[in-house]
Amino acid sequence: MKDLSGKHIVLGLTGGIACYKSAELCRLLIKAGASVQVVMTAAAEQFITPVTMQALSQRPVALSQWDAREANNMAHINLSRNADACLIAPASADFMAKLAHGQADDLLSLLCLARPLERTPLLLAPAMNREMWQHPATRRNLDQVIRDGACMLGVGSGEQACGETGDGRMMEPDEILQELIAFFQPKVLAGQKVLVTAGPTYEPIDPVRGITNLSSGKMGFAIARAAREAGAEVTLVAGPVSLTTPQGVHRIDVRSALNMHAAVMQQASTASIFIATAAVADWRPASAAEQKIKKDGSGNAPELQFVENPDILATLAQSERGQSRALYCVGFAAESHDLQAHAQAKRLRKGVPLLVGNIGPQAFGQDENTLLLVDEQGCNELARDSKLSLARQLIANIASRLSTGA
Ligand code: C5P
């Protein structure tokens, strides 16, 4: 099952240089399982040809409301009635001005006006020069279009085709795809503030060496993404990993367990859910040498002294907010055997209502995993699946625990 399986998307292109990115976006939508009907304005045809978009979408592109091949000659009705969403990317300043006024003098603006408001959402990925983006007329039009029920996905910032730098670039195709997928996810965590830790920590021995572990951060990043898709405001405190930040997630990069502890404590007072997926080092070298430790030729290895790191999860779970469940704490356990017994023991030791167990060697670095959810009542296995799918199941499970007070 792909993320957009069964979804039919009307992909509207209006006039802007960002049209070249819409070809890639169309491809990504199809790869994600959607069927795509492309509609282009005359201005969009100045930037990319319907031939390209037809080949990528595997359907003729709709260009005119006067196309006599449409049996009832009502392309605007036919196109807007069977769509799960109309996605306009790029949405030009001119097109948003039209939407704001309910103008309908071409097929795309006509079908946006004709769409059933309660059934067919309108999503906009604007693209324009930074001055046009900041112009009071554009701001006014955009406010109006949002008040009328459209959803603005956001704009990128940076270098623009005109040579200027600022806000107004179209979001990257993959970012738009992630936003569209998120749009269709149930908003079971709306209003919640979720704090997630992910990845390994790195404990320095000297300026060039340290102790770390094999955690890839993938499970924690998937959980942060799933929580955001479910409507939560998400902060992700990440150890050293080279993963892309999920769309719409606030990321704080840290290195050592002490750094992670400080960052989490700073965020925890406003969070309502804490999910600790990070593989935090249990110990750190008592002191990190300021200069690289050299071999002295004696054949003797240096003696390292270790001190224990603070337990971030246990500290929060046993705090007043953790105990009252104002902060709902969820822990993870990576074990190599006897998962159920170890996970239950760890749940009690940490003082969390829910602990998620997995077999470390079958989870670390992989794209798939199996999870065992352990609570006071017993345990429940989530069968092997992609980490994102498991993350969505875990988020749904946490949401239902919060709503039933379990
Ligand atoms: O004690 P252990 O490391 O096995 O516990 C794992 C759980 O505790 C994970 O949820 C991990 O993120 C969390 N943890 C923590 N701070 C530590 C050690 C573990 O938050 N110092």
Side-chain angles (χ1 to χ4, degrees):
M1 183 84 171
K2 296 177 180 173
D3 283 331
L4 293 179
S5 288
K7 299 287 183 213
H8 182 63
I9 309 298
V10 166
L11 174 62
L13 274 62
T14 69
I17 187 65
C19 276
Y20 82 91
K21 293 189 192 172
S22 306
E24 175 69 14
L25 173 61
C26 180
R27 185 114 185 85
L28 292 178
L29 295 174
I30 300 262
K31 272 195 192 163
S35 55
V36 179
Q37 172 63 60
V38 178
V39 182
M40 292 171 66
T41 64
E45 283 188 74
Q46 295 289 323
F47 293 92
I48 189 168
T49 70
V51 174
T52 300
M53 298 309 294
Q54 175 171 351
L56 293 172
S57 65
Q58 297 148 31
R59 285 168 190 249
V61 173
L63 299 167
S64 162
Q65 69 267 41
W66 310 125
D67 188 341
R69 286 170 302 177
E70 203 73 26
N72 58 359
N73 216 310
M74 293 189 199
H76 60 303
I77 302 293
N78 305 339
L79 290 169
S80 61
R81 292 303 180 272
N82 66 355
D84 290 293
C86 290
L87 169 63
I88 314 295
S92 66
D94 179 63
F95 191 74
M96 291 195 299
K98 276 174 134 180
L99 289 178
H101 289 93
Q103 284 180 353
D105 61 355
D106 65 10
L107 177 58
L108 190 57
S109 54
L110 181 58
L111 81 86
C112 287
L113 193 66
R115 80 188 202 283
L117 280 178
E118 70 292 353
R119 212 158 26 100
T120 314
L122 175 62
L123 313 178
L124 304 173
M128 67 201 70
N129 165 266
R130 68 189 175 108
E131 299 290 357
M132 294 168 72
W133 175 246
Q134 274 158 19
H135 196 285
T138 305
R139 308 249 59 85
R140 204 165 52 234
N141 290 333
L142 191 56
D143 282 352
Q144 184 60 54
V145 171
I146 292 169
R147 267 202 302 279
D148 289 345
C151 172
M152 213 279 282
L153 298 182
V155 287
S157 188
E159 215 174 287
Q160 302 200 308
C162 52
E164 298 180 2
T165 304
D167 291 342
R169 282 163 56 108
M170 189 166 88
M171 292 165 69
E172 295 306 320
D174 185 53
E175 295 172 339
I176 298 175
L177 174 74
Q178 278 196 50
E179 289 289 357
L180 186 67
I181 292 169
F183 183 82
F184 289 119
Q185 293 297 319
K187 301 294 172 237
V188 290
L189 287 189
Q192 301 285 349
K193 281 192 167 189
V194 178
L195 180 60
V196 182
T197 62
T201 63
Y202 177 92
E203 311 300 325
I205 293 172
D206 68 18
V208 294
R209 304 185 185 93
I211 296 170
T212 186
N213 60 66
L214 289 174
S215 166
S216 64
K218 286 180 183 173
M219 193 68 232
F221 273 59
I223 287 171
R225 174 175 169 173
R228 198 269 174 165
E229 287 179 343
E233 195 180 306
V234 182
T235 300
L236 171 62
V237 179
V241 293
S242 53
L243 296 174
T244 313
T245 311
Q247 187 63 19
V249 165
H250 172 54
R251 173 174 177 173
I252 301 172
D253 283 318
V254 296
R255 206 158 84 127
S256 67
L258 287 181
N259 298 154
M260 185 172 276
H261 179 261
V264 168
M265 292 306 149
Q266 208 173 41
Q267 300 293 322
S269 60
T270 55
S272 54
I273 301 173
F274 175 53
I275 308 176
T277 69
V280 186
D282 291 321
W283 305 279
R284 65 180 182 277
S287 62
E290 272 179 29
Q291 292 182 337
K292 184 179 172 188
I293 302 169
K294 308 290 281 179
K295 276 190 283 195
D296 62 7
S298 69
N300 296 325
E303 296 240 332
L304 293 177
Q305 300 290 321
F306 288 90
V307 290
E308 200 170 312
N309 277 322
D311 191 314
I312 305 168
L313 175 63
T315 307
L316 282 179
Q318 285 153 33
S319 70
E320 205 183 308
R321 292 190 75 237
Q323 290 290 298
S324 68
R325 306 230 175 134
L327 179 67
Y328 190 89
C329 294
V330 180
F332 264 70
E335 305 292 345
S336 59
H337 60 287
D338 282 346
L339 184 55
Q340 194 172 327
H342 283 122
Q344 192 58 273
K346 189 160 291 180
R347 188 186 77 79
L348 293 169
R349 205 165 56 241
K350 301 272 179 182
V352 293
L354 176 64
L355 193 116
V356 184
N358 55 182
I359 297 289
Q362 291 171 21
F364 278 14
Q366 317 258 334
D367 291 322
E368 293 196 337
N369 200 359
T370 307
L371 300 181
L372 189 71
L373 274 49
V374 181
D375 64 12
E376 205 175 6
Q377 262 77 51
C379 64
N380 168 26
E381 188 181 277
L382 302 183
R384 195 158 183 84
D385 206 337
S386 72
K387 286 186 172 174
L388 182 56
S389 169
L390 289 171
R392 287 179 181 144
Q393 294 173 57
L394 176 62
I395 289 298
N397 188 289
I398 292 171
S400 88
R401 285 167 193 272
L402 288 179
S403 66
T404 58

